[in-house]
Amino acid sequence: MENQRHPLPPFNLETAMQKVQIAEDAWNSKNPEKVSLAYTIDTEWRNRNLFINSREEVKQFLTAKWEKELDYKLKKELWSFTDNKIAVRFEYEWHDVSNNWFRSYGNENWEFDSNGYMSKRFASINDLKIEEGDRKL
């Protein structure tokens, strides 16, 4: 049995906001190992058009993501919550190896198990090419 990852469901406004901030901080670390530990071993994801089905696949996905998305900076905002589910909106900025900058916008729906691990993550994301001077994060 794995340890618990607080805060645990059922969520209230304070604990849902804490869970969102913890996720934002972890993703901004750009550490695939650290980030992956927030998910169940058998986590299910849809990220854009990709389907990811394990903590190990999460690590592989995040490693490739942050090799491509350089100087990644993310901001998440709580949108809604209930019991063991949280919805967030987010935006992040990054550039590719040719120094083309992008702002990516999206929404995520999260579901947690009773120990506070995310068992499901469904993300819809759109990218907008921006000028470096238009960055806001």
Side-chain angles (χ1 to χ4, degrees):
M1 180 174 149
E2 293 189 87
N3 296 324
Q4 294 181 323
R5 292 190 65 91
H6 292 271
L8 303 177
F11 299 113
N12 60 38
L13 179 59
E14 180 183 352
T15 59
M17 290 177 67
Q18 288 173 355
K19 207 66 157 174
V20 171
Q21 188 62 58
I22 289 166
E24 178 184 307
D25 293 345
W27 280 65
N28 278 326
S29 77
K30 298 178 282 300
N31 180 331
E33 180 69 32
K34 176 182 177 178
V35 173
S36 72
L37 293 176
Y39 302 93
T40 60
I41 295 290
D42 61 348
T43 191
E44 296 176 34
W45 283 26
R46 183 189 51 77
N47 194 91
R48 300 177 191 257
N49 64 340
L50 299 176
F51 293 86
I52 299 165
N53 291 295
S54 71
R55 186 184 287 169
E56 187 57 40
E57 287 185 17
V58 167
K59 279 193 279 190
Q60 293 168 10
F61 167 79
L62 293 174
T63 298
K65 173 183 179 65
W66 291 320
E67 287 174 355
K68 174 189 172 197
E69 297 178 1
L70 305 175
D71 293 321
Y72 173 96
K73 177 69 176 165
L74 167 72
K75 181 65 184 152
K76 290 186 182 283
E77 177 186 355
L78 176 65
W79 192 258
S80 182
F81 69 92
T82 185
D83 299 327
N84 69 330
K85 295 177 182 169
I86 295 176
V88 298
R89 65 154 299 278
F90 63 87
E91 60 185 335
Y92 61 91
E93 294 175 346
W94 57 280
H95 68 86
D96 62 18
V97 294
S98 299
N99 211 34
N100 296 303
W101 280 91
F102 298 87
R103 185 174 304 120
S104 300
Y105 296 97
N107 301 293
E108 294 176 325
N109 295 312
W110 301 341
E111 184 175 321
F112 294 86
D113 71 6
S114 60
N115 287 318
Y117 290 84
M118 194 181 300
S119 58
K120 295 182 181 177
R121 175 185 173 269
F122 303 110
S124 297
I125 307 167
N126 297 300
D127 301 317
L128 174 68
K129 188 169 184 185
I130 61 172
E131 297 298 321
E132 185 173 6
D134 292 332
R135 293 175 53 212
K136 59 182 185 177
L137 299 179

